[in-house]
Amino acid sequence: MDLKQKHAEYLAYAFLLAVVGVVFQQIATSFAEQGIASGGPFDNAAAYPRAVAILIVTLIALQLAVSSVARRRDNSETLSPAHLARPAAGLAILFGYVWSLNWLGYHIATPSMIAALMILGGSRRVAEILIIPVTASLLMAFAF
Amino acid sequence: MIDHLSQAVGLVLTPLSLLLTLAGVLVGLLVGVLPGLGPLMGIILLLPFAVTLDPIPAMGFLLAIFVGGSCGGSISAILLRIPGTPLAAATLFDGYPMAQKGRAADAIGIAIAASAIGGLFGGLVLIVAAPSLAAFASDFSAPEFAMLAITGLLAIAVISSSSLLKGVMAGCFGLLLATIGTDEFSTGYRFTFDNFNMLNGFHIVSIVVGLFAVSEMIIQLMGRGLTNKPNVPMVRPGFSSLFLTLRHRGNLLRSSAIGTFFGSLPGAGGVISSFTSYAVAKGFAKPDEQYGEGAEGGVVATESANNATIGGAMVPSLALGIPGDPTTAVLISVLLILGLFPGPTMFEHSPDIVAGVFVIYLLCNVALLVIGILTTPLFVWVLRVRKVNLIPIVLLMCVLGTFALQSSVFDLFVMFGFGLIGLLFRAANIPLSPIVIGVILGPLLENNMRRTLLISDNGLWIFLDRPVAAALILINIGLIGGAIWFNTRGPRT
């Protein structure tokens, strides 16, 4: 199935609704236990996030209503899942790097991450793939 | 202020401040030249270093990146017809045709000179306007600041997106993010999930790096031709470009004024100002000036306007603590990290620092003129770097920069998470700038809203009783009405 902007929009709204859900769940549990879910402006730490969360839900509802009228013909660009393979792999490499930094160590994890991203981007020059990652990671270690 | 300015010259003219200003201009030009980076990215990547410095050298370094980055994009626009930053998009209308006619060196020289002069104009306006605005705002109390925060957020939400609803939605998400951590009033923990890393909320740098830098680099990975090496001719502009630029004095002054004005409006920024000043300059052009075919005036108009924007944008940021765009939002967050609170109180309690920022901003523009013209060949060479080699280095800088702030792996996961959110929101055409502004303005809005309700015993009429707050409500209604009109009836971009 090709992906259109509307699919990304639905996913973004679902994410925001999940955030709103967490806000109400926390107000009902953690806030209530701490005694900060009600009272006057000083004690009530829930009123403001609750108001913002309600505003987000309202805005999503309005946006969906507007979109349903405006998007009878959806001419937005389509993206096949194959196009997403490279950025997904890039994200996986970055996540793997962040996750492995603690136990693999900077000097092994960093050149590996740079080399992997270069190969993913299409670089096939062995000398570049060896020299740039090592040099860059050493320079950055020195700089930071 | 004059006394403080003369004292500030002494504070600014230290070897460290001067060295960092020059380095900042170089870094700014570098991030400006390379398509996909830009001044915001440069500032967030070097922010961890800047926060270890004293306020004046730190602000000098970051402002120099802002100044250099706003100009650097013109080099790639002129040579490659690819603006290094959106700010330089209008520069290619006449800059590229000038290069095609064999006048690339003149075009780049004019772009740098016009940027520096526009920046100096914006700086002078900043020096005059910011203290006056801060003095006016010194009488503001909680209701005014609450309304001001809403105005700032609404303005950027309206301008940064073709959809008002999406812009406000993003701003509200930012406001929610700002509530994470310890509540200042009740000292209760909000949305911390018993995780000590979240007691102070998410670090602004993790959020900005993830939203803008990580998501941008991942999107660049999707592009084609990452291994291509651009064929760019070597160019060496000279200082004679300054005289070429000064031949367009009227245009220079008018465009700088337009840039400064748009800069001072939250959300408007450099792109709008450069396109507007180009259109105005074209309207005022002499019959022999062929705009769109390599007219010097076109480059002068766009470049002077987009750099003058910075001075304008600094006026509400310093005087009121209300940032106009993500870049000034990050600069405000740096001041906050350094223990300063932008707004009227900063002008009252730290006038020497404020004056130092003014002076160093002027110095950044002088440095841009000299460094920019002397080092252009270096940046032409940088344009030949393959993207496939650049993207991993930028991602590494994102990781190291974020980690270096608090030596926290948790911050890296936050950065990664916001990278995903940035990708999702970009795909959904939801603007990212209001999120950052929401995070910065969130505490200002909530604290002042709660203070207002405490003062008024939970009554909302206080907003209408106070003239400035009531005027801001009218402005907010106007912003919403204007955005609705523009979305339903007005021209579409």
Side-chain angles (χ1 to χ4, degrees):
Chain A
M1 185 187 76
D2 282 352
L3 299 169
K4 288 195 169 201
Q5 187 185 309
K6 70 175 177 186
H7 297 117
E9 280 181 15
Y10 293 148
L11 205 56
Y13 301 150
F15 166 74
L16 287 172
L17 288 173
V19 170
V20 168
V22 169
V23 170
F24 284 108
Q25 182 267 340
Q26 285 288 299
I27 289 172
T29 55
S30 169
F31 283 46
E33 283 165 20
Q34 296 179 70
I36 56 170
S38 57
F42 194 89
D43 303 312
N44 188 347
Y48 173 80
R50 187 190 290 122
V52 176
I54 291 169
L55 185 56
I56 289 179
V57 175
T58 312
L59 290 166
I60 291 173
L62 281 171
Q63 181 63 41
L64 287 173
V66 170
S67 306
S68 65
V69 176
R71 206 186 271 135
R72 290 206 178 104
R73 280 187 302 160
D74 187 351
N75 296 323
S76 62
E77 265 182 55
T78 57
L79 207 60
S80 72
H83 278 103
L84 299 175
R86 202 195 284 172
L91 282 170
I93 290 168
L94 187 63
F95 182 80
Y97 172 62
V98 170
W99 179 69
S100 66
L101 255 178
N102 260 350
W103 54 274
L104 212 55
Y106 173 85
H107 291 292
I108 294 175
T110 304
S112 311
M113 182 272 284
I114 297 176
L117 284 171
M118 286 175 69
I119 293 167
L120 181 70
S123 184
R124 295 293 178 267
R125 296 164 188 236
V126 178
E128 272 188 10
I129 293 170
L130 289 174
I131 293 168
I132 291 175
V134 173
T135 314
S137 66
L138 287 174
L139 281 174
M140 291 292 175
F142 175 73
F144 281 90
Chain B
M1 184 45 78
I2 302 285
D3 289 346
H4 292 301
L5 283 172
S6 54
Q7 285 168 15
V9 172
L11 288 173
V12 167
L13 294 180
T14 63
L16 180 67
S17 294
L18 293 174
L19 190 70
L20 286 171
T21 303
L22 298 180
V25 170
L26 280 172
V27 173
L29 285 165
L30 177 70
V31 294
V33 161
L34 293 167
L37 296 183
L40 173 63
M41 191 89 87
I43 287 173
I44 56 183
L45 290 177
L46 285 156
L47 189 147
F49 168 65
V51 295
T52 63
L53 302 165
D54 286 336
I56 291 177
M59 287 305 283
F61 185 51
L62 298 179
L63 280 170
I65 297 174
F66 198 176
V67 167
S70 299
C71 169
S74 63
I75 298 176
S76 43
I78 290 164
L79 295 177
L80 295 176
R81 210 169 177 264
I82 302 169
T85 63
L87 296 169
T91 303
L92 61 81
F93 293 154
D94 283 289
Y96 185 69
M98 276 182 81
Q100 294 298 97
K101 291 175 181 172
R103 296 190 64 207
D106 282 345
I108 293 174
I110 289 172
I112 292 168
S115 295
I117 295 169
L120 286 170
F121 181 94
L124 293 175
V125 173
L126 170 69
I127 291 172
V128 174
S132 312
L133 186 59
F136 174 66
S138 61
D139 292 334
F140 286 9
S141 62
E144 284 82 12
F145 277 112
M147 276 303 136
L148 209 53
I150 293 175
T151 309
L153 194 61
L154 260 181
I156 197 150
V158 166
I159 292 171
S160 61
S161 170
S162 56
S163 161
L164 168 70
L165 294 171
K166 285 182 177 178
V168 180
M169 213 183 287
C172 288
F173 177 54
L175 293 179
L176 271 187
L177 288 173
T179 62
I180 297 171
T182 311
D183 175 39
E184 281 185 32
F185 287 75
S186 64
T187 65
Y189 300 128
R190 299 192 292 188
F191 314 113
T192 55
F193 302 96
D194 297 328
N195 183 336
F196 74 93
N197 289 302
M198 292 177 73
L199 292 183
N200 291 320
F202 294 140
H203 202 292
I204 181 73
V205 174
S206 313
I207 296 175
V208 177
V209 170
L211 282 177
F212 289 94
V214 172
S215 67
E216 177 62 36
M217 287 303 107
I218 296 298
I219 284 174
Q220 297 239 353
L221 263 180
M222 286 170 80
R224 292 166 196 269
L226 296 179
T227 54
N228 293 350
K229 193 173 183 176
N231 185 17
V232 192
M234 187 45 74
V235 175
R236 291 175 201 282
F239 285 98
S240 58
S241 312
L242 181 60
F243 300 107
L244 288 177
T245 309
L246 289 173
R247 288 205 311 223
H248 302 269
R249 282 184 293 274
N251 182 358
L252 200 54
L253 200 63
R254 195 173 46 236
S255 303
S256 301
I258 291 171
T260 311
F261 170 72
F262 276 108
S264 64
L265 302 178
V271 179
I272 295 175
S273 73
S274 58
F275 277 94
T276 307
S277 59
Y278 182 80
V280 172
K282 199 174 172 181
F284 277 94
K286 292 172 188 161
D288 60 324
E289 282 188 297
Q290 300 292 314
Y291 273 66
E293 293 176 25
E296 290 175 1
V299 179
V300 168
T302 58
E303 284 302 314
S304 55
N306 71 34
N307 267 57
T309 307
I310 301 171
M314 294 294 289
V315 174
S317 305
L318 289 178
L320 304 174
I322 304 290
D325 58 31
T327 316
T328 44
V330 173
L331 290 176
I332 283 188
S333 72
V334 171
L335 288 172
L336 290 170
I337 292 169
L338 293 172
L340 297 160
F341 295 91
T345 49
M346 192 168 83
F347 283 73
E348 207 175 309
H349 299 306
S350 313
D352 49 336
I353 304 272
V354 174
V357 171
F358 291 165
V359 173
I360 212 156
Y361 173 64
L362 294 178
L363 188 69
C364 292
N365 287 288
V366 177
L368 170 67
L369 180 66
V370 180
I371 299 280
I373 286 182
L374 290 177
T375 59
T376 295
L378 172 71
F379 298 107
V380 174
W381 176 81
V382 167
L383 272 175
R384 296 172 181 165
V385 173
R386 294 183 180 89
K387 269 192 181 173
V388 71
N389 297 338
L390 189 69
I391 292 170
I393 310 288
V394 174
L395 281 172
L396 176 60
M397 287 184 76
C398 293
V399 171
L400 294 184
T402 305
F403 182 77
L405 277 168
Q406 306 184 117
S407 303
S408 161
V409 175
F410 177 79
D411 284 347
L412 294 181
F413 284 106
V414 172
M415 175 202 77
F416 183 81
F418 278 96
L420 290 177
I421 294 169
L423 279 172
L424 176 63
F425 278 26
R426 279 173 194 254
N429 203 20
I430 296 174
L432 302 178
S433 306
I435 301 176
V436 180
I437 305 292
V439 173
I440 297 284
L441 291 182
L444 184 77
L445 175 59
E446 183 183 4
N447 293 348
N448 284 296
M449 192 61 93
R450 286 168 79 175
R451 278 193 196 110
T452 304
L453 294 175
L454 279 169
I455 297 166
S456 66
D457 200 17
N458 267 340
L460 291 171
W461 288 108
I462 190 170
F463 289 109
L464 296 177
D465 288 342
R466 301 181 67 93
V468 175
L472 287 167
I473 290 175
L474 284 179
I475 291 171
N476 293 341
I477 292 170
L479 276 170
I480 294 170
I484 292 170
W485 180 86
F486 193 80
N487 274 292
T488 52
R489 291 166 185 268
R492 287 169 191 279
T493 52

Coordinates of all heavy atoms in Angstrom, one line a residue, chain B residues 257-319:
Chain B
A257 N 15.3 47.9 6.6 CA 14.1 48.3 7.5 C 13.0 47.3 7.4 O 12.4 46.9 8.4 CB 13.6 49.7 7.0
I258 N 12.7 46.8 6.2 CA 11.7 45.7 6.0 C 12.1 44.5 6.8 O 11.3 43.9 7.6 CB 11.5 45.4 4.5 CG1 10.9 46.5 3.8 CG2 10.7 44.1 4.4 CD1 10.8 46.4 2.3
G259 N 13.4 44.1 6.7 CA 13.9 42.9 7.4 C 13.7 43.1 8.9 O 13.3 42.2 9.6
T260 N 14.1 44.2 9.4 CA 14.1 44.5 10.9 C 12.6 44.4 11.3 O 12.3 43.8 12.4 CB 14.7 45.8 11.2 OG1 16.0 45.9 10.6 CG2 14.9 46.0 12.7
F261 N 11.7 45.0 10.6 CA 10.3 45.0 10.9 C 9.8 43.6 11.0 O 9.2 43.2 12.0 CB 9.5 45.9 9.9 CG 8.0 45.7 10.1 CD1 7.4 46.3 11.2 CD2 7.2 45.0 9.2 CE1 6.0 46.2 11.4 CE2 5.9 44.9 9.4 CZ 5.3 45.5 10.5
F262 N 10.0 42.8 9.9 CA 9.5 41.5 9.9 C 10.1 40.6 11.0 O 9.5 39.7 11.6 CB 9.7 40.8 8.6 CG 8.6 41.1 7.6 CD1 8.8 42.0 6.5 CD2 7.3 40.6 7.8 CE1 7.8 42.3 5.7 CE2 6.3 41.0 6.9 CZ 6.5 41.8 5.8
G263 N 11.4 40.9 11.3 CA 12.1 40.1 12.4 C 11.4 40.3 13.7 O 11.4 39.4 14.5
S264 N 10.9 41.6 13.9 CA 10.4 41.9 15.3 C 9.0 41.3 15.5 O 8.5 41.2 16.6 CB 10.3 43.4 15.5 OG 9.4 43.9 14.5
L265 N 8.4 40.8 14.4 CA 7.1 40.1 14.5 C 7.3 38.6 14.8 O 7.9 38.0 14.0 CB 6.2 40.3 13.2 CG 6.0 41.7 12.7 CD1 5.2 41.6 11.4 CD2 5.2 42.4 13.7
P266 N 6.7 38.1 15.9 CA 6.9 36.7 16.1 C 6.4 35.8 15.0 O 5.3 36.1 14.5 CB 6.1 36.4 17.4 CG 6.0 37.8 18.1 CD 6.0 38.8 16.9
G267 N 7.3 34.9 14.5 CA 6.8 34.0 13.5 C 7.1 34.4 12.1 O 7.2 33.6 11.2
A268 N 7.3 35.7 11.8 CA 7.5 36.2 10.4 C 8.8 35.7 9.9 O 8.9 34.9 9.0 CB 7.3 37.7 10.4
G269 N 9.9 36.2 10.4 CA 11.3 35.7 10.1 C 11.8 36.1 8.7 O 11.2 36.9 8.0
G270 N 13.0 35.5 8.5 CA 13.8 36.0 7.3 C 13.3 35.6 6.0 O 13.5 36.4 5.0
V271 N 12.6 34.5 5.8 CA 12.1 34.1 4.5 C 11.1 35.1 4.0 O 11.2 35.6 2.9 CB 11.5 32.7 4.6 CG1 11.0 32.3 3.2 CG2 12.5 31.7 5.1
I272 N 10.1 35.4 4.8 CA 9.1 36.4 4.4 C 9.7 37.7 4.1 O 9.4 38.4 3.1 CB 8.0 36.5 5.5 CG1 7.3 35.2 5.7 CG2 7.0 37.6 5.2 CD1 6.3 35.2 6.8
S273 N 10.7 38.2 5.0 CA 11.3 39.5 4.8 C 12.1 39.5 3.5 O 12.0 40.6 2.8 CB 12.1 39.9 6.0 OG 13.3 39.2 6.1
S274 N 12.8 38.5 3.2 CA 13.6 38.5 2.0 C 12.8 38.6 0.7 O 13.0 39.3 -0.2 CB 14.7 37.4 2.0 OG 14.1 36.2 2.0
F275 N 11.7 37.8 0.7 CA 10.8 37.8 -0.5 C 10.1 39.1 -0.6 O 9.9 39.7 -1.7 CB 9.8 36.6 -0.4 CG 10.3 35.3 -0.9 CD1 10.9 34.4 0.0 CD2 10.3 35.0 -2.3 CE1 11.5 33.2 -0.5 CE2 10.9 33.9 -2.8 CZ 11.4 32.9 -1.9
T276 N 9.6 39.7 0.6 CA 8.9 41.0 0.6 C 9.9 42.1 0.1 O 9.5 42.9 -0.8 CB 8.4 41.3 2.0 OG1 7.6 40.2 2.4 CG2 7.5 42.6 2.0
S277 N 11.1 42.1 0.6 CA 12.0 43.2 0.2 C 12.4 43.1 -1.2 O 12.6 44.1 -1.9 CB 13.2 43.2 1.1 OG 13.9 42.0 1.0
Y278 N 12.5 41.8 -1.7 CA 12.8 41.6 -3.1 C 11.7 42.2 -4.0 O 11.9 42.9 -5.0 CB 12.9 40.1 -3.5 CG 13.3 39.8 -4.9 CD1 14.6 40.0 -5.3 CD2 12.3 39.5 -5.8 CE1 15.0 39.7 -6.7 CE2 12.7 39.3 -7.2 CZ 14.0 39.4 -7.6 OH 14.3 39.2 -8.9
A279 N 10.4 41.9 -3.6 CA 9.3 42.4 -4.4 C 9.2 44.0 -4.3 O 9.0 44.6 -5.3 CB 8.0 41.9 -3.8
V280 N 9.5 44.5 -3.1 CA 9.5 46.0 -3.0 C 10.6 46.6 -3.8 O 10.5 47.6 -4.6 CB 9.6 46.4 -1.5 CG1 9.8 47.9 -1.4 CG2 8.4 46.0 -0.7
A281 N 11.8 46.0 -3.8 CA 13.0 46.5 -4.5 C 12.7 46.5 -6.0 O 13.1 47.4 -6.8 CB 14.2 45.7 -4.2
K282 N 12.0 45.4 -6.4 CA 11.7 45.3 -7.9 C 10.7 46.4 -8.3 O 10.8 47.0 -9.4 CB 11.0 43.9 -8.1 CG 11.0 43.4 -9.5 CD 10.5 42.0 -9.5 CE 10.3 41.5 -11.0 NZ 9.7 40.2 -11.0
G283 N 9.8 46.7 -7.4 CA 8.9 47.8 -7.6 C 9.5 49.1 -7.8 O 9.1 50.0 -8.5
F284 N 10.6 49.3 -7.0 CA 11.3 50.6 -7.0 C 12.5 50.6 -8.0 O 13.2 51.6 -8.1 CB 11.9 50.9 -5.6 CG 10.9 51.5 -4.7 CD1 10.2 50.7 -3.8 CD2 10.7 52.9 -4.6 CE1 9.3 51.3 -2.9 CE2 9.9 53.4 -3.7 CZ 9.1 52.6 -2.8
A285 N 12.6 49.5 -8.8 CA 13.8 49.4 -9.6 C 13.8 50.4 -10.8 O 12.8 50.8 -11.3 CB 13.9 48.0 -10.2
K286 N 15.0 50.9 -11.2 CA 15.2 51.8 -12.3 C 14.9 50.9 -13.6 O 15.1 49.7 -13.6 CB 16.6 52.3 -12.4 CG 16.9 53.2 -11.2 CD 18.4 53.6 -11.2 CE 18.8 54.4 -10.0 NZ 20.2 54.3 -9.7
P287 N 14.5 51.6 -14.7 CA 14.2 50.9 -15.9 C 15.3 50.0 -16.4 O 15.0 48.9 -17.0 CB 13.9 52.0 -16.9 CG 13.5 53.2 -16.1 CD 14.3 53.1 -14.8
D288 N 16.5 50.4 -16.2 CA 17.6 49.5 -16.7 C 18.0 48.4 -15.9 O 18.8 47.5 -16.2 CB 18.9 50.4 -17.0 CG 19.4 51.1 -15.7 OD1 18.5 51.5 -14.9 OD2 20.6 51.2 -15.5
E289 N 17.4 48.3 -14.7 CA 17.7 47.1 -13.8 C 16.8 46.0 -14.1 O 15.6 46.1 -14.0 CB 17.5 47.5 -12.3 CG 18.6 48.4 -11.7 CD 18.4 48.6 -10.2 OE1 17.4 49.2 -9.8 OE2 19.3 48.1 -9.5
Q290 N 17.3 44.9 -14.6 CA 16.5 43.7 -15.0 C 16.5 42.7 -13.9 O 17.3 41.8 -13.8 CB 17.2 43.1 -16.3 CG 17.2 44.0 -17.5 CD 15.9 44.4 -18.0 OE1 15.0 43.5 -18.2 NE2 15.6 45.7 -18.3
Y291 N 15.5 42.9 -13.0 CA 15.3 41.9 -11.9 C 15.0 40.5 -12.5 O 14.2 40.4 -13.3 CB 14.3 42.4 -10.9 CG 14.9 43.3 -9.9 CD1 15.3 44.6 -10.2 CD2 14.9 43.0 -8.5 CE1 15.9 45.4 -9.3 CE2 15.5 43.8 -7.6 CZ 16.0 45.0 -8.0 OH 16.5 45.9 -7.0
G292 N 15.7 39.5 -11.9 CA 15.4 38.1 -12.4 C 16.4 37.7 -13.4 O 16.5 36.6 -13.8
E293 N 17.2 38.7 -13.9 CA 18.2 38.4 -14.9 C 19.6 38.8 -14.5 O 20.5 39.0 -15.3 CB 17.9 39.1 -16.2 CG 16.6 38.6 -16.8 CD 16.2 39.4 -18.1 OE1 17.0 40.0 -18.7 OE2 15.0 39.4 -18.3
G294 N 19.8 38.9 -13.2 CA 21.2 39.2 -12.7 C 21.3 40.6 -12.2 O 22.4 41.2 -12.3
A295 N 20.3 41.2 -11.6 CA 20.4 42.6 -11.1 C 21.0 42.6 -9.7 O 20.7 41.8 -8.9 CB 19.0 43.2 -11.0
E296 N 22.0 43.4 -9.5 CA 22.7 43.5 -8.2 C 21.7 43.8 -7.1 O 21.8 43.3 -6.0 CB 23.8 44.6 -8.3 CG 25.0 44.2 -9.2 CD 26.0 45.4 -9.2 OE1 25.7 46.5 -8.6 OE2 27.0 45.2 -10.0
G297 N 20.8 44.7 -7.5 CA 19.8 45.2 -6.5 C 19.0 44.0 -5.9 O 18.6 44.1 -4.7
G298 N 18.7 43.0 -6.7 CA 18.0 41.8 -6.1 C 18.7 41.1 -5.0 O 18.1 40.8 -4.0
V299 N 20.0 41.0 -5.2 CA 20.9 40.3 -4.2 C 21.0 41.2 -2.9 O 20.8 40.8 -1.8 CB 22.3 40.0 -4.7 CG1 23.1 39.3 -3.7 CG2 22.2 39.1 -6.0
V300 N 21.1 42.5 -3.2 CA 21.2 43.5 -2.1 C 20.0 43.4 -1.2 O 20.0 43.3 0.0 CB 21.4 44.9 -2.6 CG1 21.3 46.0 -1.5 CG2 22.8 45.0 -3.3
A301 N 18.8 43.4 -1.9 CA 17.5 43.5 -1.2 C 17.3 42.2 -0.3 O 17.0 42.4 0.9 CB 16.4 43.6 -2.2
T302 N 17.5 41.1 -0.9 CA 17.2 39.8 -0.1 C 18.2 39.6 1.0 O 17.8 39.3 2.1 CB 17.2 38.6 -1.1 OG1 18.5 38.5 -1.7 CG2 16.1 38.7 -2.1
E303 N 19.5 39.8 0.7 CA 20.5 39.5 1.7 C 20.5 40.5 2.9 O 20.6 40.2 4.0 CB 21.8 39.4 1.1 CG 22.0 38.1 0.3 CD 21.8 36.9 1.2 OE1 22.4 36.8 2.3 OE2 21.1 36.0 0.8
S304 N 20.3 41.8 2.5 CA 20.2 42.8 3.6 C 19.0 42.6 4.5 O 19.1 42.7 5.7 CB 20.2 44.2 3.1 OG 19.2 44.4 2.2
A305 N 17.9 42.2 3.9 CA 16.7 42.0 4.6 C 16.8 40.8 5.6 O 16.5 40.8 6.7 CB 15.5 41.8 3.7
N306 N 17.3 39.6 5.0 CA 17.3 38.5 5.9 C 18.3 38.6 7.1 O 18.1 38.0 8.1 CB 17.4 37.1 5.1 CG 18.7 36.9 4.5 OD1 19.7 37.2 5.0 ND2 18.7 36.2 3.3
N307 N 19.4 39.3 6.9 CA 20.2 39.5 8.1 C 19.7 40.6 9.0 O 20.0 40.5 10.2 CB 21.7 39.8 7.6 CG 22.5 38.5 7.5 OD1 22.1 37.6 6.8 ND2 23.6 38.4 8.3
A308 N 19.0 41.6 8.5 CA 18.5 42.6 9.4 C 17.4 42.0 10.3 O 17.1 42.5 11.4 CB 17.9 43.7 8.5
T309 N 16.8 40.9 9.8 CA 15.8 40.2 10.6 C 16.2 39.8 12.0 O 15.5 39.8 12.9 CB 15.3 38.9 9.8 OG1 15.0 39.3 8.5 CG2 14.2 38.2 10.5
I310 N 17.5 39.4 12.0 CA 18.1 38.9 13.3 C 18.0 40.0 14.4 O 17.5 39.7 15.5 CB 19.5 38.5 13.1 CG1 19.6 37.4 12.1 CG2 20.1 38.0 14.5 CD1 21.1 37.0 11.7
G311 N 18.4 41.3 14.0 CA 18.3 42.3 15.0 C 16.9 42.6 15.4 O 16.6 42.7 16.6
G312 N 15.9 42.5 14.5 CA 14.5 42.7 14.8 C 14.0 41.6 15.7 O 13.3 41.8 16.7
A313 N 14.4 40.4 15.4 CA 13.9 39.2 16.2 C 14.5 39.2 17.6 O 13.8 38.7 18.5 CB 14.4 37.9 15.5
M314 N 15.6 39.9 17.8 CA 16.2 40.0 19.1 C 15.5 41.0 20.0 O 15.6 40.9 21.2 CB 17.7 40.3 19.0 CG 18.6 39.3 18.4 SD 18.7 37.8 19.3 CE 19.7 38.3 20.7
V315 N 14.7 41.9 19.4 CA 14.1 42.9 20.2 C 13.0 42.3 21.1 O 13.2 42.4 22.4 CB 13.4 44.0 19.3 CG1 12.6 45.0 20.1 CG2 14.5 44.8 18.5
P316 N 12.0 41.6 20.6 CA 11.0 41.0 21.6 C 11.6 39.9 22.4 O 11.2 39.6 23.5 CB 9.9 40.4 20.7 CG 10.5 40.3 19.3 CD 11.6 41.3 19.2
S317 N 12.7 39.2 21.8 CA 13.3 38.1 22.6 C 14.0 38.6 23.8 O 13.8 38.0 24.9 CB 14.3 37.3 21.7 OG 13.7 36.9 20.5
L318 N 14.8 39.6 23.7 CA 15.5 40.2 24.8 C 14.6 41.0 25.7 O 14.7 40.9 27.0 CB 16.7 41.0 24.4 CG 17.9 40.2 23.7 CD1 19.0 41.2 23.3 CD2 18.5 39.2 24.7
A319 N 13.8 41.8 25.1 CA 13.0 42.8 25.9 C 11.8 42.2 26.6 O 11.4 42.6 27.7 CB 12.5 43.9 25.0

